[in-house]
Amino acid sequence: MNSSNSSYIPNNISGLENNPEEFESEDFEERIVLNVGGFRYEVLKGTLTRYPNTLLGELFSGSNIKKRNEYFFDRNGRIFEIILNYYRTGKLVIPQDMPAELVREELNYFRIEYIEENEDNEHDKVKVLTPEEEDEIIKQLSIEVRFQKAWEFVHGDSRQGIKRGVKHFTDIIEAEQNNVDAYYYRAFGYCRLSDIANSYLDLDKVVSLDPQSKAASDLKVLIDDKKTMTKFFGITTVVAILGAGIFAALRMRNTLPATDSPIYVYDYFSNYSFNGDVLLDWTKYAFPIFFFFFI
């Protein structure tokens, strides 16, 4: 089942509208840290206990649970963001790139009952977010959560995702201009995008904020290697283009009519829809490009 043609509707809502006194409970304001597969989430206890029929609602509604600084669940940390959003809003919102099968597994584990509906039924259908809509939601979250999401993006496989991560780190830097970690990972993102100039600019900022940073030294090595690799591929590409052009010119020369008459040569090129000046124009631009990559 694909998330683009199916949806989930919560079926076990027993929310605060039925338990208004829960707002007045002292426990409601207690902060709980959940570590789900290495992703840390901070949430109010009352947010979880508003749904006592779910796994987390039942767990934190009881009085026998041992208080800890952090509660660990060996589950999918990224998908848990959808689960936590359900506790906070009562809605299941699934991004387009989220596999429906994985979402279903996590919903079942955390005992969140749901109804799967065909997309022909528009009633309470789950909204599938576009990347732009998801980014707007992320911008409303805390700096910590935004940082985590941006970190995921710049370490992902999608070039578009890396660009999104760089953009989120830029937003974080606008809010916290001395956030050295944001500069560091934005530089890393720029490096993965082969934007070497901006990588070095952010690296310089990291060094200015934290001169003893060992991570900055490692990142410089990474950026230097990327620069060398980019230049190598550029040179290889130009050489290949030059070689192809020279080979084509030699082939063309060997197939010209055996005559010195410029009229015959002109007729030959005209018959093949080719202007002899093209080769000269091509080399005029190709050679400067070639030497640029050697400089």
Side-chain angles (χ1 to χ4, degrees):
M1 177 183 58
N2 191 297
S3 60
S4 63
N5 57 19
S6 62
S7 59
Y8 305 100
I9 298 176
N11 196 36
N12 57 350
I13 297 180
S14 54
L16 290 176
E17 64 275 12
N18 298 322
N19 301 282
E21 67 278 3
E22 195 165 355
F23 271 119
E24 302 173 4
S25 170
E26 293 181 1
D27 287 344
F28 185 86
E29 296 297 330
E30 180 183 345
R31 293 188 178 185
I32 293 174
V33 177
L34 303 174
N35 184 333
V36 183
F39 292 81
R40 297 178 73 255
Y41 295 91
E42 188 171 321
V43 59
L44 295 178
K45 182 177 180 180
T47 301
L48 303 177
T49 57
R50 70 174 67 182
Y51 301 117
N53 295 329
T54 64
L55 175 67
L56 296 178
E58 179 180 339
L59 181 65
F60 291 101
S61 293
S63 57
N64 295 328
I65 185 171
K66 182 179 179 181
K67 288 193 174 184
R68 301 175 182 175
N69 294 330
E70 184 175 289
Y71 299 87
F72 178 78
F73 293 86
D74 190 14
R75 303 299 300 181
N76 191 311
R78 185 183 177 202
I79 293 181
F80 185 74
E81 186 175 339
I82 295 174
I83 305 295
L84 190 56
N85 186 64
Y86 161 70
Y87 279 102
R88 288 169 172 162
T89 67
K91 299 178 182 178
L92 290 171
V93 181
I94 307 174
Q96 284 180 321
D97 62 343
M98 196 71 69
E101 182 63 29
L102 294 180
V103 175
R104 185 193 296 121
E105 289 182 8
E106 298 306 304
L107 291 174
N108 289 336
Y109 175 82
F110 287 102
R111 300 208 321 248
I112 296 177
E113 299 176 8
Y114 56 90
I115 300 172
E116 296 187 29
E117 289 206 343
N118 188 282
E119 67 176 359
D120 294 334
N121 189 336
E122 296 295 329
H123 177 65
D124 282 343
K125 186 164 52 168
V126 172
K127 178 177 175 57
V128 179
L129 296 179
T130 65
E132 292 75 16
E133 291 172 330
E134 185 181 9
D135 287 340
E136 285 302 315
I137 292 176
I138 292 173
K139 288 171 66 174
Q140 308 304 317
L141 303 176
S142 67
I143 291 291
E144 291 76 13
V145 176
R146 289 161 61 189
F147 189 99
Q148 180 174 291
K149 291 294 297 182
W151 186 95
E152 291 177 35
F153 283 135
V154 298
H155 285 82
D157 297 326
S158 164
R159 183 176 178 83
Q160 186 61 35
I162 297 172
K163 290 181 178 180
R164 292 172 65 189
V166 167
K167 179 62 170 63
H168 284 301
F169 277 125
T170 299
D171 293 339
I172 292 172
I173 290 171
E174 288 178 358
E176 297 183 354
Q177 296 182 3
N178 292 327
N179 190 322
V180 64
D181 292 329
Y183 279 108
Y184 176 89
Y185 285 110
R186 189 173 71 169
F188 175 75
Y190 278 135
C191 179
R192 295 200 64 197
L193 294 171
S194 299
D195 188 345
I196 305 303
N198 279 320
S199 295
Y200 281 125
L201 288 176
D202 277 354
L203 180 63
D204 290 343
K205 188 66 176 181
V206 171
V207 173
S208 68
L209 292 172
D210 185 6
Q212 306 302 320
S213 174
K214 170 75 165 56
S217 301
D218 295 338
L219 182 59
K220 184 179 186 304
V221 172
L222 181 66
I223 297 174
D224 289 343
D225 289 344
K226 185 72 171 183
K227 178 182 179 181
T228 301
M229 187 179 302
T230 301
K231 182 175 289 190
F232 171 77
F233 281 117
I235 293 172
T236 304
T237 301
V238 172
V239 170
I241 294 174
L242 284 172
I246 293 171
F247 177 77
L250 291 175
R251 287 282 303 229
M252 202 175 301
R253 179 183 177 185
N254 292 334
T255 57
L256 284 173
T259 177
D260 294 331
S261 172
I263 298 177
Y264 277 32
V265 175
Y266 175 79
D267 288 342
Y268 176 83
F269 283 134
S270 298
N271 290 336
Y272 283 85
S273 301
F274 180 82
N275 187 333
D277 291 337
V278 170
L279 185 60
L280 294 177
D281 288 341
W282 179 81
T283 55
K284 180 174 65 176
Y285 294 107
F287 279 106
I289 295 174
F290 176 76
F291 286 112
F292 169 78
F293 282 102
F294 277 107
I295 297 175

